[in-house]
Amino acid sequence: MPERSAATPDTVPLNTVSVVIPVLDDGPHLRRCLRALAAQTTVADEIVVVDNASTDDSADIARAAGARVVFCGERGIPAAAAAGYDAAHGDLILRLDADSIPEPTWVASMVDALSDPAVDAVTGGAVFHDGPVAGRVAMSRAFLGTYAAFAFPALGHTPLWGSNMAFRRRAWNAVRGEVHVDPELHDDLDLAYHLGRRHRIRFVPGRHMRVSSRTVEPRRFVRCFRRGAGTVFAHWPGDIPPARWARLARRRATHAGRAREVGAPGQSRGTRSGAGR
């Protein structure tokens, strides 16, 4: 992996990076995704492909590309993604889908965003790499805008999106026992619920990812919306929006107060200089 510069007081030293890709019968897309990962300006230390009981050659394609294959017989993206996160060795876990095509700067952009010690998870947007050329940007913005408009009020903070996200392994370990693995729920939205309670999630700007437009096909979109609603309801009544917003506001106020105390005059250097008189 390319050498990284030494950490400054405002950054966290980063060591290893794992990329996790759940896959089910998606060999051709996976091959293209793995090729894009091999062309990154910052190369991941490992790529973990989770074979969710595929009947095609997805696992063979992954092995041929040098990825580590983990088998998950429990069907559904939530279980497959969790198996990949558990298997990952990296300090940072990056996640995308088999039909995603990361730009060469993707890994670097995720790693850079997580160098901020106050951030434990990040997510980004994407544009479609297929479908009508003239409408790719507009369609992708409409799709992601709909997701954000639905998820942000429910969460009270930035949602995660599984096609383009990353988080610290220690953050995953902190919530591992809480996440749902129901195949009828959205794993990324569910993870955002759990991480967002105690960890900060940041949005990473820029066009670092391209994804397939097949998600917006009418049947898939209806299923996507149904699962999104189901994920929200699975967290009620404990995380009903007003109650969740109030808890998050109290936590942010507490953190802000602590930050002011640390930076207040008379602390640290001022106290030491007074003691020496």
Side-chain angles (χ1 to χ4, degrees):
M1 188 171 182
E3 183 178 351
R4 299 188 184 126
S5 59
T8 69
D10 295 324
T11 64
V12 170
L14 304 173
N15 296 312
T16 52
V17 175
S18 298
V19 175
V20 172
I21 313 171
V23 63
L24 171 62
D25 296 333
D26 215 2
H29 279 110
L30 177 63
R31 180 181 285 109
R32 186 161 50 175
C33 177
L34 292 171
R35 286 174 179 167
L37 287 172
Q40 294 291 299
T41 57
T42 297
V43 180
D45 294 276
E46 67 169 356
I47 298 174
V48 180
V49 173
V50 185
D51 176 17
N52 201 197
S54 297
T55 58
D56 71 353
D57 59 349
S58 292
D60 292 335
I61 289 172
R63 293 189 187 96
R68 179 159 60 95
V69 176
V70 174
F71 180 80
C72 177
E74 183 177 353
R75 285 299 183 99
I77 296 177
Y85 306 153
D86 287 341
H89 298 145
D91 301 299
L92 305 181
I93 300 175
L94 282 58
R95 154 74 189 282
L96 74 170
D97 292 322
D99 61 2
S100 299
I101 304 176
E103 295 295 331
T105 54
W106 179 64
V107 171
S109 69
M110 297 288 104
V111 170
D112 181 65
L114 285 171
S115 68
D116 182 345
V119 177
D120 286 310
V122 296
T123 194
V127 295
F128 292 140
H129 60 67
D130 54 14
V133 175
R136 289 178 183 176
V137 173
M139 288 174 60
S140 60
R141 286 178 177 172
F143 172 71
L144 290 172
T146 300
Y147 176 59
F150 170 83
F152 196 101
L155 292 166
H157 56 74
T158 300
L160 291 170
W161 184 44
S163 295
N164 184 3
M165 69 182 191
F167 46 86
R168 303 187 194 280
R169 181 156 56 93
R170 67 169 183 259
W172 164 251
N173 289 336
V175 301
R176 176 63 180 91
E178 305 170 7
V179 299
H180 296 77
V181 291
D182 184 338
E184 291 303 313
L185 300 183
H186 280 313
D187 66 298
D188 46 7
L189 181 57
D190 178 70
L191 182 58
Y193 265 104
H194 298 289
L195 283 179
R197 290 170 184 161
R198 300 180 296 275
H199 303 83
R200 182 182 169 193
I201 301 173
R202 173 190 162 193
F203 183 83
V204 180
R207 294 185 181 180
H208 302 289
M209 184 66 66
R210 292 180 291 152
V211 298
S212 175
S213 63
R214 58 185 179 174
T215 306
V216 298
E217 294 172 359
R219 185 177 299 178
R220 285 175 177 263
F221 188 80
V222 170
R223 182 175 62 187
C224 180
F225 186 84
R226 184 184 70 245
R227 288 178 176 175
T231 306
V232 171
F233 296 149
H235 291 270
W236 288 11
D239 272 318
I240 199 166
R244 183 178 175 89
W245 300 340
R247 286 197 304 272
L248 291 175
R250 288 195 296 269
R251 181 172 65 85
R252 289 164 183 158
T254 299
H255 286 179
R258 290 173 180 170
R260 286 194 295 270
E261 290 176 4
V262 170
Q267 300 287 327
S268 159
R269 287 178 295 178
T271 301
R272 286 196 298 270
S273 63
R277 288 177 184 153

